[in-house]
Amino acid sequence: MPSTLRYRIGAEATLELVMGDITHESTDAIVNAANSSLLGGGGVDGAIHRAAGPGLLAECKKIREQRGPLPQGKAVTTAGGHLKARYVIHTVGPIWQGGHVNEPQILESCYCNCLEEAERSACASVSFPSVSTGAFGYPVIPAAQIALRTVVDILHRPKSVRLVRFVLFDQNSFTAYARAAEKLGRDFPHYQIALDSTSS
Ligand code: ADP
């Protein structure tokens, strides 16, 4: 399987699935799978804080002081510090508890609210990690389906965000997202998802 899959979404938008480290992304914004404290943590959160430098934690602390902990499903934007991305959009995914306490709805809100934050900052491109599928334990196959359906639905509307990249850290996640994209195209032909031959 190639390590970048590129899809045209309708006439104007692009979805990319890539294997890699989100801290290297040069999209306008990258999304952080944070926790409610906003004070950093392990996984992708730790990697983003290390790469962005101490200014990121200082800005997160300030937001935390002003607004308290960030609830699950919500999103907030900071500057990108030393990252190539201009902004970091922090969201708090649901902790998987078996699927019966609104985890799917909360995960969907994460993607919607992040793209709303990106719009507010006039971003044309955003990179997402696979929110909640690490320490928070959300099974990656259903998580990938929710992530892609939510993002593709939004990409169909006239928006400033024209490119969304999912930066997957391991082969298993990449395969889950690739299969979810295939299924989404099959189940919802009106989304006009077309695999681009320039995928590499
Ligand atoms: P959560 O607490 O939301 O589950 P994690 O950071 O534990 O967040 O994991 C979310 C996903 O991010 C997992 O698939 C994990 O492998 C992946 N991940 C970890 N580090 C990086 C990174 N540097 N770039 C992209 N994805 C990463």
Side-chain angles (χ1 to χ4, degrees), residues 20-22 33 42-45 47 129-137 167 169-170 173:
D21 180 337
I22 201 165
V44 71
D45 194 7
S130 179
V131 175
S132 277
T133 65
F136 282 3
V167 182
F169 209 46
D170 57 84
S173 304

Side-chain angles (χ1 to χ4, degrees), residues 160-173:
S160 65
V161 176
R162 297 289 75 201
L163 168 67
V164 170
R165 284 163 63 82
F166 279 88
V167 182
L168 290 329
F169 209 46
D170 57 84
Q171 185 66 53
N172 186 44
S173 304

Side-chain angles (χ1 to χ4, degrees), residues 23-97:
T23 63
H24 299 153
E25 287 291 294
S26 51
T27 42
D28 294 332
I30 66 169
V31 169
N32 181 18
N35 57 58
S36 288
S37 79
L38 287 178
L39 301 179
V44 71
D45 194 7
I48 289 174
H49 273 273
R50 279 192 297 279
L56 187 66
L57 183 59
E59 200 178 340
C60 284
K61 277 184 173 159
K62 217 170 177 183
I63 293 171
R64 160 89 207 220
E65 275 161 27
Q66 287 164 351
R67 308 192 205 171
L70 187 65
Q72 289 184 352
K74 301 289 185 201
V76 73
T77 304
T78 63
H82 299 145
L83 294 164
K84 287 184 209 149
R86 213 158 11 122
Y87 303 106
V88 178
I89 301 170
H90 307 259
T91 190
V92 182
I95 298 170
W96 180 255
Q97 293 176 66

